[in-house]
Amino acid sequence: MQTTFSPEQLKEPAIQRSNEILRTCVHCGFCTATCPTYQVLGDELDSPRGRIYLIKDMLENDRPADEKTVKHIDRCLSCLACMTTCPSGVHYMHLVDHAREYIEQTYKRPLFERALRWTLAQILPYPTRFRVALLGAKIGRPFAFLMPDARLKAMLAMAPKQIPPVSRNDDPQTFPAANKKMRVALMTGCAQKALNTDINDATIRLLTRLGAEVVVAEGAGCCGALTHHMGKAKESHATAAKNIRAWTAEMKGEGLDAIVINTSGCGTTVKDYGHMFREDAALAEDAAAVAGIAKDVSEVLIDLLPDGAEAFSPDVAKLAVAGTDVAPEARGGRIGRRRKDVLTVAYHAACSLQHGQQIKTYPKDLLKRAGFQVVEPADSHLCCGSAGTYNLMQPEISGQLKALKVQTLEAVQPDIIAAGNIGCMMQIGSATDVPIVHTVELLDWATGGPRPPAFDRDGEPAVPILR
């Protein structure tokens, strides 16, 4: 793609980077085939190629964002399926992130929308505030029909039936390992600590059991992704900087082999800290170092979890739901599993993991090692519609994508659904009766931990134990 940025414009690092990205695009249109919003809306401007044209025109002409451009950029999920598909290697993520920041600086949204976005930015990244908001939403949910805006209704619907108590495992501390092989920092996150404390608890048990000393660093918190995708660079960089300082202190102290992240949306952002802080003289080096050792939990477990059935007990292949003699209707009507005595897990590939981090096989490989039977939906490459705050800001499109995803997941008739991102878990779980858990919860259970609380069936399946 030809660009016409002036030498003066190209002095700005963000414009320089966007120019590089724009010039790699060859208009081929492969991205339209895998873009969820284009599949749902059928509008060229709601495809990556269409958005690239809008961004190019806006930036080249150095003009404030207009309503049309904002509308179509806001509809982008940042699922990054286009980056997986693109044969030219267009780094759409950096381009759309720049566009969002530019929109935030040059476009004045309607008052209600400004207030809504400000509220989300002030609540979601802060677990205590988020817990209070969830409690309020839970109380107000019966009155959702009175809300004048679909986005307010979506916020009330977001509240889980039960808000878990605070887990003290999320406090700064160190968890010793059995037969220590490595030392890692666990990113405990923000929204996840309010929505589902089982995930971090299971991650800590699993990692320490397999030989990783786990430290929860003092001062670490939200990764900055939520505000980053709103274009609020000041807020996102402030929270990211706290993480960089906290983890750098651990790296320079007792040392870290990895920074483990069990929310893939956060992982994609943390791995991009080097780019985010490339112009920050004080933090650029440390940000790059942090990004360099940031790993999804599956990347660490693939080396720690033994390979081969001989590492497990003989019962590894007998993770029965409630015994093979239980009638199908007693199992919620979900029949058709490939082996009646093995738990069938439908793996949902979070976009931020398979597209953002290009991690496609590790979670499935780990589940298979542990004795689970893994199946995938037909549309495994498409987004579920969660995408950070997208399900709150674009509830109609998000709802359509959720319905499609749940339909294809239920079509493979699983006993349980596994995913690696809390947003996906909340989104899918709100529309299906099939239990949904984080991948680490199943791996923790399979190696000696407790059965995941999400199971809603009677009976205690056989649990394989690591030797």
Side-chain angles (χ1 to χ4, degrees):
M1 178 180 288
Q2 290 185 338
T3 58
T4 58
F5 290 103
S6 69
E8 193 66 27
Q9 285 177 303
L10 291 173
K11 290 180 182 179
E12 184 183 339
I15 291 290
Q16 189 178 77
R17 175 60 177 149
S18 289
N19 181 55
E20 293 171 357
I21 297 167
L22 288 167
R23 290 175 71 88
T24 61
C25 179
V26 297
H27 321 274
C28 68
F30 276 89
C31 57
T32 61
T34 57
C35 175
T37 51
Y38 182 73
Q39 301 302 310
V40 169
L41 301 172
D43 188 334
E44 171 73 11
L45 294 180
D46 285 312
S47 74
R49 183 172 61 180
R51 293 183 179 111
I52 285 171
Y53 282 123
L54 290 172
I55 294 168
K56 176 180 181 292
D57 179 67
M58 175 178 68
L59 296 179
E60 271 188 341
N61 292 298
D62 196 21
R63 61 170 176 78
D66 57 25
E67 185 178 353
K68 176 182 176 182
T69 301
V70 172
K71 171 185 174 182
H72 294 291
I73 299 302
D74 281 356
R75 283 179 174 179
C76 175
L77 292 140
S78 278
C79 70
L80 307 181
C82 54
M83 287 179 59
T84 295
T85 308
C86 181
S88 301
V90 176
H91 203 300
Y92 179 81
M93 181 176 81
H94 287 167
L95 183 65
V96 77
D97 284 348
H98 178 205
R100 286 178 171 138
E101 185 177 347
Y102 187 89
I103 288 169
E104 185 70 11
Q105 294 169 349
T106 65
Y107 181 73
K108 189 171 183 179
R109 296 176 183 274
L111 178 61
F112 175 76
E113 194 166 332
R114 293 202 308 273
L116 197 60
R117 293 166 69 88
W118 180 88
T119 300
L120 291 174
Q122 294 301 312
I123 291 178
L124 297 186
Y126 304 93
T128 302
R129 299 179 196 176
F130 192 23
R131 281 178 172 275
V132 173
L134 288 174
L135 180 59
K138 186 177 179 180
I139 295 170
R141 186 159 48 187
F143 308 100
F145 67 96
L146 296 174
M147 294 295 105
D149 189 276
R151 289 167 292 187
L152 294 176
K153 293 178 181 178
M155 290 180 189
L156 291 179
M158 181 184 182
K161 294 179 181 178
Q162 292 185 329
I163 302 171
V166 174
S167 173
R168 296 273 67 99
N169 286 338
D170 291 328
D171 296 341
Q173 60 192 293
T174 298
F175 298 88
N179 302 315
K180 181 179 174 181
K181 300 174 185 176
M182 63 192 308
R183 186 174 190 265
V184 304
L186 174 64
M187 180 175 187
T188 55
C190 52
Q192 181 166 280
K193 289 197 290 191
L195 292 167
N196 188 330
T197 57
D198 296 328
I199 298 170
N200 285 342
D201 291 349
T203 302
I204 292 166
R205 287 193 301 265
L206 180 60
L207 287 172
T208 54
R209 185 182 303 122
L210 297 178
E213 180 179 272
V214 177
V215 57
V216 178
E218 180 78 46
C222 175
C223 68
L226 288 168
T227 47
H228 182 62
H229 294 312
M230 289 184 189
K232 298 180 181 294
K234 182 179 178 180
E235 291 92 332
S236 66
H237 283 218
T239 52
K242 291 180 182 178
N243 288 334
I244 292 167
R245 295 188 183 99
W247 292 327
T248 298
E250 293 292 340
M251 292 165 67
K252 293 179 178 179
E254 296 184 49
L256 291 175
D257 295 295
I259 296 165
V260 177
I261 304 167
N262 57 17
T263 300
S264 60
C266 300
T268 302
T269 298
V270 175
K271 288 182 177 183
D272 203 45
Y273 276 1
H275 173 77
M276 289 172 63
F277 288 87
R278 67 196 184 283
E279 300 299 321
D280 189 321
L283 286 175
E285 185 177 347
D286 288 342
V290 164
I293 64 168
K295 295 182 182 295
D296 181 72
V297 64
S298 65
E299 294 180 275
V300 174
L301 292 174
I302 204 70
D303 293 326
L304 290 177
L305 194 70
D307 190 6
E310 67 278 0
F312 296 86
S313 76
D315 290 332
V316 70
K318 295 183 179 179
L319 285 165
V321 179
T324 57
D325 58 342
V326 176
E329 57 269 20
R331 300 178 179 175
R334 291 182 286 276
I335 59 174
R337 60 183 59 80
R338 284 73 182 165
R339 286 180 54 186
K340 193 164 62 172
D341 63 338
V342 176
L343 196 69
T344 300
V345 179
Y347 173 66
H348 165 70
C351 297
S352 46
L353 196 58
Q354 65 170 325
H355 303 309
Q357 300 180 53
Q358 291 294 304
I359 297 173
K360 303 176 186 297
T361 63
Y362 286 171
K364 293 180 288 185
D365 292 343
L366 289 164
L367 289 169
K368 290 172 185 176
R369 281 187 195 181
F372 299 103
Q373 186 167 241
V374 180
V375 294
E376 292 185 87
D379 65 344
S380 59
H381 66 286
L382 286 179
C383 184
C384 68
S386 174
T389 59
Y390 193 91
N391 57 349
L392 302 178
M393 300 302 294
Q394 301 285 340
E396 184 177 347
I397 301 172
S398 174
Q400 293 179 62
L401 292 171
K402 174 170 67 174
L404 290 171
K405 179 61 66 176
V406 169
Q407 181 181 13
T408 57
L409 280 166
E410 291 183 341
V412 297
Q413 298 180 300
D415 297 306
I416 196 161
I417 299 167
N421 188 61
I422 182 63
C424 301
M425 292 170 62
M426 297 299 296
Q427 175 84 342
I428 295 167
S430 68
T432 181
D433 290 330
V434 181
I436 183 164
V437 299
H438 195 288
T439 306
V440 296
E441 293 183 83
L442 290 178
L443 297 174
D444 174 46
W445 177 40
T447 56
R451 191 172 74 152
F455 277 96
D456 60 353
R457 299 174 176 85
D458 295 328
E460 193 70 29
V463 180
I465 307 295
L466 275 175
R467 288 175 179 169

